[in-house]
Amino acid sequence: MPILTTKNLTKHYGTAPNIIRALDGVDLEVNKGEFVAVVGQSGSGKSTLLHMLGGLDTPTSGTVIVDNHELSQMKDEELTIFRRRNVGFVFQGYNLVPMLNVYENIILPIELDGNKADAPFVDKIIDMLGLGDRHNAMPNQLSGGQQQRVAIARALAAKPSIVLADEPTGNLDTKTSQDVLGALKMTASQFHQTIVLITHNEQIAQLADRVIYIEDGKIKSRGVVPQ
């Protein structure tokens, strides 16, 4: 069953005759529990697509439906709350708060939402990501790969409907990138999370269940990754 759907999604910048069609009629479905990689070169529209999927930007036309909620129908405050509770983000920059330790960084979004973290669930994520002995470590005491694992744990901790990852290994070397993405796939499978990964790296994309190629704002091909 689809947990994420786009219908004729467009995002245009500028005015005629100099319109830039960052997205140009994207139809996409992602099923619950699926790990999908969207692959494209710089300027292909892949990051714009992720911003639309996460409600971080407004489309020119078309619809985005996440867990049966059409994002364009929500008011700003309603969308902010929905996004905080239902969408986990992992970006290329780790965005950790330097004065908070690992555990505090992970549960911060939950506490900002006025809720209490599910401590056993958070501990399980931390252990699965190989951070079990780093609860009290500060960000400046962690390697790049460890910081990205903290960012992944933070995205998963609120039990979102979907996790959106935008070039999450862009600052990491190849070996660390594979380790981090492998950990993301393992935890997502364990906790039945849905992932959409944006990347330009086809080797990284092969970790996904399905790869979608985007070019000039259009979906060019899609298919299941051989296991």
Side-chain angles (χ1 to χ4, degrees):
M1 171 179 290
I3 193 168
L4 186 153
T5 303
T6 71
K7 298 178 180 178
N8 197 29
L9 190 64
T10 70
K11 181 64 175 181
H12 298 167
Y13 297 98
T15 57
N18 299 311
I19 294 176
I20 298 173
R21 303 178 188 277
L23 293 178
D24 195 13
V26 172
D27 294 319
L28 176 66
E29 282 191 353
V30 177
N31 292 320
K32 185 174 177 60
E34 192 175 18
F35 183 0
V36 173
V38 179
V39 179
Q41 298 303 312
S42 177
S44 62
K46 61 186 187 300
S47 290
T48 302
L49 175 60
L50 180 134
H51 291 163
M52 299 297 159
L53 300 181
L56 296 175
D57 199 357
T58 304
T60 301
S61 63
T63 58
V64 178
I65 301 170
V66 179
D67 204 11
N68 296 316
H69 292 80
E70 186 174 338
L71 302 190
S72 64
Q73 299 302 309
M74 297 183 184
K75 296 180 179 178
D76 288 347
E77 183 178 357
E78 183 183 6
L79 178 58
T80 298
I81 294 171
F82 176 83
R83 187 170 55 231
R84 192 163 59 219
R85 295 176 180 176
N86 294 277
V87 184
F89 293 96
V90 183
F91 295 106
Q92 184 172 331
Y94 317 127
N95 299 323
L96 303 183
V97 180
M99 67 284 298
L100 299 181
N101 65 30
V102 164
Y103 191 83
E104 291 165 341
N105 264 287
I106 291 170
I107 67 172
L108 179 62
I110 299 172
E111 293 189 334
L112 289 175
D113 199 31
N115 295 317
K116 187 175 181 180
D118 181 343
F121 179 73
V122 173
D123 285 340
K124 190 172 183 180
I125 293 172
I126 289 172
D127 288 341
M128 289 190 69
L129 287 169
L131 297 167
D133 61 344
R134 309 299 282 166
H135 278 67
N136 297 315
M138 306 304 287
N140 64 3
Q141 297 174 315
L142 304 175
S143 68
Q146 288 173 327
Q147 291 187 61
Q148 193 59 290
R149 288 169 186 258
V150 175
I152 290 170
R154 182 180 56 196
L156 295 171
K159 305 177 184 178
S161 301
I162 187 167
V163 175
L164 302 176
D166 189 2
E167 299 280 10
T169 61
N171 290 328
L172 306 176
D173 60 59
T174 301
K175 175 63 167 60
T176 305
S177 295
Q178 292 173 340
D179 289 345
V180 166
L181 265 298
L184 176 60
K185 182 174 183 178
M186 176 183 65
T187 52
S189 176
Q190 175 73 23
F191 302 122
H192 309 293
Q193 298 281 5
T194 305
I195 300 174
V196 177
L197 167 70
I198 301 296
T199 184
H200 67 277
N201 188 322
E202 292 200 39
Q203 185 177 2
I204 291 296
Q206 297 309 305
L207 291 169
D209 302 321
R210 181 161 58 103
V211 178
I212 295 171
Y213 292 91
I214 187 169
E215 182 180 332
D216 297 328
K218 296 178 179 288
I219 300 296
K220 292 299 182 180
S221 64
R222 58 191 89 202
V224 176
V225 176
Q227 301 297 316

